[in-house]
Amino acid sequence: LRTLPDIEDLLEPLERAISNILIPSIVDHKCTQLERDILSLPVRLGGLGFTNPTQNASTEFQTSVKVTAPLTGRIMSQLHEPPDEAEVKSLQQNAKKEKEERLQKQSDEWRNSLPERTKRAVSLASEKGASNWLTVIPSKDMDFDLNKREFKDAINLRYDWEITGTPSVCVCGDRFSVDHAMICKRGGFIIQRHNELRDLEADLLNLVCNDVETEPVLQEITGETLNNGANTACDARLDIHARGFWERQKSTFFDIRVCHPNAESYKDLMPEQIYRLHENEKKRMYASRVLEVEQATFTPLVFTTTGGMGRECLRYHSRLAELISLKKGEDYAKTITWIREKVSFSILRSALLCLRGSRLIRRRTHNILEIDIDVELSKSSAK
């Protein structure tokens, strides 16, 4: 693409193979032209990085001509001095900026042409941290691998495409759908999703903080005046306690919430409004009690089932990456990426469990530990 001009027509067979063979075999979905355009975008903009060569050929060639112009000029003039490094770097930065602007413009244009639910799905997929599971190397040792059904389900969840092989009616009696699967309390998957994130965040905090504890019980209230709506229960608990996170030797309490942004009650709200709603609710319940009684700080950590994070959660992970990178001597960018990958996979696996996990009522059986083997064998021999 960068070396040959006017080759768009020659690349059409390649594009047809990508659109009609490669993509359907990977994502198990026959894409419309608009969906194909979306998939050509980088994952950070809601796509999958399946570049369309016919659309990019001309731009890539013109960009290459601009960036290599200083070197080309010296070769044609038979000059032995290399081009000015600052000039080349400036051209590269300008090319990168122009590409980002072009991609963002295309993303906005294509996204606005999508059906409303798909448009919302792509917007959620574009949130910071929501696509890290797609960019990580699928290492089995790091538990970053998915089997083929999990991967296809994850892609279908990402774009709100039809998912086959699911029941029509949930065991709770409601119509089964993706949205219902993410909020149905049967099977214990909602609690498991919350606890997985809680334990992951506690493990990460253990790397840099002292006195890390899960499910800490708050001190009882003895005359302190709290705001309306505060949780005043004597056995109130928060998810995590850690010392030395925001300030040296200062305690911080964290409380986690995972919400489904496509739930019926959120259909008219933007993602930012959903995060703010849950953060404010958590602060109303616990902030004053933590400040007044515990003499500590409180941080709500709000996630979505699509992998997005609220403003407080993003700030928390930024601080966590800063502390880990300083302690381990690692690069900050690599550290924050690693954290987002761990969180992204935790949320994704929980979503897949909610989608495919069995919610059937388990039959009560005899405790196998109480079975007398000799008696069981004698019964079978008698039969």
Side-chain angles (χ1 to χ4, degrees):
L1 301 187
R2 296 175 181 174
T3 57
L4 298 175
D6 305 322
I7 60 171
E8 291 85 354
D9 293 342
L10 300 176
L11 294 170
E12 284 197 10
L14 174 60
E15 168 54 22
R16 285 197 298 271
I18 294 173
S19 299
N20 301 330
I21 302 174
L22 177 63
I23 292 177
S25 69
I26 292 177
V27 304
D28 201 20
H29 177 82
K30 184 67 175 179
C31 297
T32 65
Q33 183 56 51
L34 183 56
E35 289 172 337
R36 169 66 183 102
D37 291 337
I38 291 293
L39 296 190
S40 70
L41 294 169
V43 292
R44 67 181 181 278
L45 295 178
L48 290 180
F50 285 110
T51 303
N52 186 330
T54 61
Q55 291 180 351
N56 290 354
S58 177
T59 305
E60 289 289 341
F61 179 77
Q62 294 300 327
T63 300
S64 178
V65 169
K66 290 180 183 178
V67 172
T68 59
L71 179 60
T72 303
R74 279 164 173 72
I75 292 174
M76 294 179 67
S77 301
Q78 293 293 292
L79 298 176
H80 295 283
E81 296 81 8
D84 182 63
E85 187 175 342
E87 181 185 5
V88 174
K89 188 173 182 180
S90 176
L91 289 171
Q92 291 174 340
Q93 290 175 342
N94 290 337
K96 184 177 180 180
K97 183 179 179 181
E98 289 174 1
K99 183 177 180 179
E100 286 295 323
E101 291 175 349
R102 175 173 54 85
L103 289 173
Q104 188 63 59
K105 183 179 178 181
Q106 289 178 338
S107 174
D108 295 339
E109 179 183 342
W110 292 336
R111 192 183 305 176
N112 290 331
S113 302
L114 290 168
E116 199 58 38
R117 278 188 64 90
T118 309
K119 177 181 176 181
R120 184 177 179 87
V122 174
S123 296
L124 292 169
S126 304
E127 291 188 289
K128 188 172 290 187
S131 298
N132 282 74
W133 66 273
L134 276 167
T135 58
V136 67
I137 296 175
S139 167
K140 190 172 183 178
D141 294 337
M142 295 290 291
D143 199 26
F144 286 162
D145 60 323
L146 298 171
N147 64 43
K148 59 184 178 181
R149 188 174 75 171
E150 289 174 334
F151 181 79
K152 291 178 180 179
D153 283 346
I155 296 296
N156 290 330
L157 286 173
R158 178 177 173 85
Y159 296 109
D160 194 40
W161 290 338
E162 181 183 0
I163 297 178
T164 59
T166 57
S168 57
V169 179
C170 182
V171 296
C172 70
D174 291 341
R175 186 178 68 86
F176 189 89
S177 65
V178 171
D179 293 340
H180 176 77
M182 296 303 148
I183 61 175
C184 181
K185 295 182 180 180
R186 294 293 290 270
F189 302 138
I190 306 302
I191 296 298
Q192 184 174 339
R193 178 175 65 196
H194 169 276
N195 292 348
E196 285 287 339
L197 274 174
R198 178 201 64 195
D199 294 343
L200 172 61
E201 297 296 352
D203 289 343
L204 292 173
L205 285 167
N206 257 317
L207 296 174
V208 291
C209 293
N210 300 316
D211 192 21
V212 177
E213 180 186 4
T214 58
E215 300 289 341
V217 179
L218 299 179
Q219 297 181 56
E220 293 186 11
I221 300 171
T222 54
E224 291 88 354
T225 302
L226 304 181
N227 63 283
N228 292 332
N231 187 337
T232 58
C234 61
D235 59 345
R237 296 172 179 266
L238 288 173
D239 286 322
I240 308 172
H241 165 267
R243 190 179 298 275
F245 184 77
W246 294 116
E247 299 178 46
R248 189 178 180 86
Q249 295 299 321
K250 184 81 170 180
S251 289
T252 302
F253 288 85
F254 305 92
D255 205 50
I256 293 170
R257 174 167 290 180
V258 186
C259 61
H260 181 53
N262 290 325
E264 187 67 22
S265 55
Y266 303 139
K267 65 178 182 180
D268 297 325
L269 298 178
M270 297 294 291
E272 295 80 9
Q273 294 173 304
I274 298 173
Y275 293 129
R276 197 179 309 119
L277 177 71
H278 288 289
E279 287 175 347
N280 290 340
E281 182 181 347
K282 287 290 186 184
K283 289 178 180 179
R284 184 171 60 252
M285 293 175 64
Y286 296 109
S288 63
R289 180 166 180 174
V290 170
L291 289 169
E292 298 295 332
V293 181
E294 301 289 342
Q295 297 294 302
T297 56
F298 173 70
T299 302
L301 305 179
V302 179
F303 303 85
T304 61
T305 56
T306 55
M309 292 174 274
R311 186 179 62 177
E312 297 270 2
C313 195
L314 290 171
R315 181 167 169 259
Y316 154 78
H317 281 127
S318 179
R319 172 63 174 168
L320 181 62
E322 180 185 344
L323 293 175
I324 293 176
S325 61
L326 287 173
K327 183 174 182 178
K328 301 290 186 180
E330 299 287 348
D331 180 66
Y332 171 83
K334 292 181 179 179
T335 305
I336 189 66
T337 300
W338 173 73
I339 291 173
R340 288 173 180 162
E341 289 169 352
K342 300 289 285 185
V343 172
S344 179
F345 258 91
S346 176
I347 295 174
L348 176 63
R349 290 191 184 280
S350 298
L352 295 173
L353 181 61
C354 288
L355 179 67
R356 295 287 186 179
S358 173
R359 292 182 170 86
L360 294 177
I361 300 175
R362 297 179 178 85
R363 295 180 179 179
R364 186 178 295 276
T365 59
H366 297 293
N367 189 344
I368 196 169
L369 297 178
E370 298 176 357
I371 291 177
D372 189 315
I373 296 177
D374 291 333
V375 174
E376 292 292 318
L377 289 175
S378 63
K379 287 181 180 179
S380 65
S381 299
K383 292 179 180 179

